[in-house]
Amino acid sequence: MPVGGLVPQAVDDPAELVVRNAKIHTGDPNRPHAGAIAVRDGVVTVVGDDKDVAPYIGPATKVVDALGRRVVPGLNDAHLHVIRGGLNYVLELRWDGVPTLRQGLAMLREQAARTPKGQWVRVVGGWSAEQFAERRLPTVAELNAAAPDTPVFVLHLYQSAVLNRAALKAAGFDKDTPDPRGGQIVRGRDGEPTGMLLAAPSALILYSTLAKAPVLDEAHRKSSTRHFLRELNRFGLTSAIDAAGGFQNFPENYSTVVELAAAGELSLRIAYHLFPQTAGQEVADLTRWIEMADYGDGDEWLRLNGAGENLTWAAADFENFSQPRPEHDDYEPEFEKAVRLLMENGWGFRLHATYDETIRRDLAVFEKLAAEGLFPAGNRWLFDHAETVSAESLDRVAALGGAMSVQNRLSFQGEAFLRRYGPGAAADAPPLREMLDRGLTMAAGTDATRVSSYNPWVALHWLISGRTVGDLVLRPPSNRVDRQTALRMFTRAGAELTGEEGVKGILRPGFFADLAILSDDYFTVPEPEIAHIESLLTVTGGRIVYAAGEYEGLDEELPAIAPDWSPVAHFGGYQAAPRGVAGVRQAAALGEAVAESELHRAWRVRRGLIPDGAATPSDPCFL
């Protein structure tokens, strides 16, 4: 149909999709700005203005008017546990973006009332006590009151978990349960578990307890993954690099995304890594996988990107900033075997490395292999996280052709880091400017879903402002990046980590048609509002995979969320905050409103107007 003077006509090579009347940031230094874009066969064909795309508008071309909004290349989270997150998404009650503990507990109480017997209510990552107006965790007593009979597991970062009485029973914890290595079951004076689990410093106790909860069957895993990908598309994400992780076994836990890719049902491009799960047999697992698959197997939707983020468990430096830095035994001999095996077979890798002490030891292994002419041998490799990496170590990374991937873990753990290491270390964690000054490829991600939120705009806000979700400033202006650099870290740099910089990350003819029309102009919106940006329309490979606002209904239809008692079916995922009210002020205001509504509820109970313990208030004004 005619749109703003663009009249469909018979053309030999019509576009399938045209986005016009836009403020397009292409990311292409040769043409950084444009007003319109045309797409055919999943790739960009024309970048220009309305007059440039007009000749390609045929009768079947879908024309989207951006209404003058900002358009950016599709975002690429360079470190996201997307496969594991998708398998569990519909089972989790997300506190991402929830501004008060009162609201979180109200959600938990309501969810417990609808959760069937045998299932758990699980709050797994994406939040921090510092984001709440109350600035604290829920207590065991509050969980018991909210859900006296339904198991409740609440994970807080890599630091701790809070379980109610029913969850302790379901998990099999009692007076005789021994503390696992690297973890602590907090006990009362009678020796019984209180409901608090501590990572000390390993998060294994937290993850192994969560693994005791029921899981989805295969059909529900597919639906859960599709809805999780749609939730990521909601924020303009069109690609992610899966960093594997604990309790993510290959190949069985990868079968869901493999089947979705084969059916053409992925809405997000995924490059994945393989992570040995069993201490002591890492080299054996890597050897087996190298025989099973070739590095780079797959296509532009799903492809193998190497090993990691752990190669050997003994080298893992757990980033529990509420605990001292872990001291490692002699891990180099087995670690060297793993790296040597990968180099000899042409596999790239990524390495979880929080502390400079670990990074220096890893680099010494790489330099030993480099002296033999075996490293990096043309293979891509990188360090993840690197909060305390030194300038000297960065020089060594650059000399060995490595890259860096940083995540906004300190958005959520910044206060704990500050208390342990002081303001000087916090100001440099991680040293973004030092990395950029050395010309290192530096991509950005979230490390969601079990610590940070999967919302990339929270991470972009952290890169630019240096602030935590509790509104604490950690990094000074000298260690922040501008908006254009931050966006590049979430687009082109991620493509460089997967060797796709020639087809992805910018909007240029011949590149993948991955883009997002944003709710607010990222380049001009006030800095505090960056974290609240969402996509109104997300396109991956020329397909409209998410649509909201004026574009609602243009995206692909998904099956209903199942099971019907799913927390996501009732609350959704990320809880978007009211616009125009920043951080702590917004949280405090909402906290006051929730507290006032609770007083009204108690007043009604005392007068017999509603039953005590009602799951929800009878008056929708007090929801």
Side-chain angles (χ1 to χ4, degrees):
M1 59 183 294
V3 180
L6 301 182
V7 182
Q9 53 193 305
V11 295
D12 294 333
D13 196 21
E16 295 162 358
L17 174 69
V18 163
V19 177
R20 63 169 295 271
N21 188 23
K23 292 186 291 187
I24 301 174
H25 173 80
T26 67
D28 182 356
N30 296 324
R31 178 159 192 170
H33 307 291
I37 195 167
V39 174
R40 182 175 175 81
D41 296 329
V43 301
V44 175
T45 55
V46 180
V47 176
D49 296 313
D50 282 2
K51 62 180 175 54
D52 299 309
V53 300
Y56 300 94
I57 298 178
T61 302
K62 184 174 291 185
V63 180
V64 173
D65 190 336
L67 300 173
R69 292 192 174 98
R70 175 65 65 187
V71 174
V72 297
L75 302 187
N76 184 350
D77 189 322
H79 187 118
L80 175 65
H81 298 279
V82 59
I83 293 175
R84 186 177 65 194
L87 297 177
N88 298 284
Y89 176 61
V90 300
L91 293 175
E92 296 173 353
L93 177 66
R94 304 300 305 181
W95 280 357
D96 306 49
V98 173
T100 70
L101 179 58
R102 280 181 177 270
Q103 181 180 334
L105 288 170
M107 295 167 67
L108 194 151
R109 184 182 304 111
E110 181 182 338
Q111 182 58 37
R114 71 166 62 91
T115 299
K117 186 175 182 178
Q119 283 288 349
W120 295 23
V121 177
R122 55 200 97 182
V123 180
V124 186
W127 66 282
S128 167
E130 303 298 337
Q131 81 191 42
F132 293 148
E134 298 91 335
R135 304 284 175 153
R136 67 174 179 86
L137 301 178
T139 65
V140 174
E142 286 171 325
L143 298 191
N144 285 330
D149 302 311
T150 303
V152 174
F153 175 97
V154 177
L155 177 70
H156 185 237
L157 309 173
Y158 285 141
Q159 298 174 7
S160 60
V162 190
L163 284 68
N164 69 346
R165 190 181 305 109
L168 285 173
K169 182 178 180 181
F173 289 132
D174 59 26
K175 191 173 185 177
D176 299 321
T177 305
D179 286 348
R181 182 179 179 184
Q184 181 185 351
I185 302 170
V186 178
R187 304 172 194 274
R189 66 176 67 91
D190 58 0
E192 294 288 349
T194 64
M196 179 69 74
L197 306 180
L198 298 179
S202 168
L204 183 61
I205 184 176
L206 312 179
Y207 285 4
S208 60
T209 304
L210 179 60
K212 297 178 181 181
V215 297
L216 295 167
D217 60 30
E218 179 55 32
H220 283 130
R221 285 197 293 268
K222 286 184 181 178
S223 175
S224 177
T225 296
R226 293 188 69 188
H227 280 282
F228 183 48
L229 299 186
R230 174 64 61 86
E231 173 75 353
L232 298 177
N233 299 147
R234 167 188 167 191
F235 297 101
L237 281 162
T238 58
S239 291
I241 307 177
D242 185 85
F247 296 89
Q248 183 171 312
N249 294 295
F250 180 81
E252 53 266 37
N253 293 137
Y254 292 71
S255 61
T256 298
V257 291
V258 169
E259 292 175 18
L260 290 175
E265 293 178 340
L266 292 180
S267 61
L268 186 90
R269 306 181 193 276
I270 301 173
Y272 62 90
H273 287 254
L274 303 184
F275 183 131
Q277 296 295 308
T278 305
Q281 69 175 52
E282 298 95 334
V283 173
D285 284 341
L286 291 170
T287 301
R288 178 165 51 89
W289 296 337
I290 287 169
E291 293 171 351
M292 292 172 57
D294 291 328
Y295 178 66
D297 272 357
D299 57 21
E300 66 268 22
W301 287 97
L302 183 67
R303 61 196 301 270
L304 173 60
N305 198 52
E309 61 180 301
N310 270 3
L311 300 184
T312 60
W313 278 99
D317 58 352
F318 302 105
E319 65 284 8
N320 180 359
F321 299 127
S322 65
Q323 295 280 336
R325 178 181 62 82
E327 295 292 339
H328 291 94
D329 295 329
D330 183 22
Y331 68 78
E332 282 85 352
E334 199 68 13
F335 180 72
E336 180 183 329
K337 289 179 185 177
V339 177
R340 185 182 295 274
L341 175 68
L342 295 171
M343 294 299 99
E344 289 175 343
N345 288 276
W347 276 49
F349 64 88
R350 67 190 310 156
L351 273 180
H352 170 111
T354 301
Y355 302 102
D356 189 56
E357 290 82 353
T358 308
I359 291 171
R360 291 201 307 265
R361 291 175 67 172
D362 293 348
L363 285 169
V365 173
F366 303 160
E367 288 163 346
K368 176 183 176 182
L369 296 176
E372 301 176 26
L374 194 59
F375 190 93
N379 300 308
R380 288 189 298 274
W381 71 277
L382 65 122
F383 280 120
D384 278 305
H385 315 314
E387 276 85 358
T388 70
V389 65
S390 66
E392 177 192 2
S393 292
L394 290 175
D395 289 336
R396 295 166 70 187
V397 171
L400 290 169
M404 307 298 296
S405 177
V406 298
Q407 298 78 40
N408 64 312
R409 302 191 305 181
L410 292 192
S411 285
F412 297 84
Q413 301 183 84
E415 286 82 359
F417 188 96
L418 177 67
R419 285 191 293 270
R420 180 159 298 279
Y421 297 108
D428 291 333
L432 304 179
R433 296 308 318 178
E434 294 266 12
M435 296 177 189
L436 289 171
D437 290 345
R438 284 161 175 78
L440 291 167
T441 293
M442 184 171 65
T446 61
D447 200 11
T449 59
R450 291 186 173 176
V451 175
S452 306
S453 173
Y454 51 74
N455 183 346
W457 299 101
V458 174
L460 283 154
H461 176 258
W462 169 79
L463 288 167
I464 294 160
S465 71
R467 293 177 181 270
T468 71
V469 293
D471 211 33
L472 175 67
V473 179
L474 293 180
R475 287 183 289 105
S478 59
N479 193 28
R480 302 175 199 166
V481 298
D482 60 52
R483 300 189 191 201
Q484 185 163 322
T485 300
L487 186 60
R488 189 187 187 282
M489 293 167 65
F490 256 99
T491 51
R492 184 64 181 272
E496 292 172 1
L497 295 188
T498 57
E500 297 175 285
E501 64 271 21
V503 293
K504 187 165 70 174
I506 64 175
L507 296 173
R508 175 192 289 173
F511 277 57
F512 294 152
D514 300 349
L515 58 90
I517 301 176
L518 303 182
S519 59
D520 300 273
D521 190 339
Y522 165 70
F523 290 103
T524 61
V525 71
E527 189 176 272
E529 295 298 315
I530 292 174
H532 303 304
I533 292 174
E534 296 188 18
S535 175
L536 294 177
L537 185 128
T538 304
V539 175
T540 311
R543 294 161 43 202
I544 298 176
V545 295
Y546 177 80
E550 295 90 343
Y551 310 111
E552 187 172 354
L554 293 182
D555 50 3
E556 302 164 347
E557 186 175 6
L558 288 185
I561 294 174
D564 58 5
W565 54 266
S566 162
V568 176
H570 295 269
F571 298 109
Y574 189 92
Q575 302 293 302
R579 310 308 296 275
V581 186
V584 173
R585 289 189 297 108
Q586 163 238 314
L590 281 177
E592 291 169 6
V594 172
E596 186 175 348
S597 77
E598 173 60 20
L599 292 175
H600 280 287
R601 191 196 69 81
W603 182 86
R604 288 169 175 241
V605 168
R606 288 195 299 272
R607 285 157 180 78
L609 299 176
I610 60 173
D612 193 9
T616 56
S618 60
D619 189 331
C621 290
F622 303 118
L623 283 174

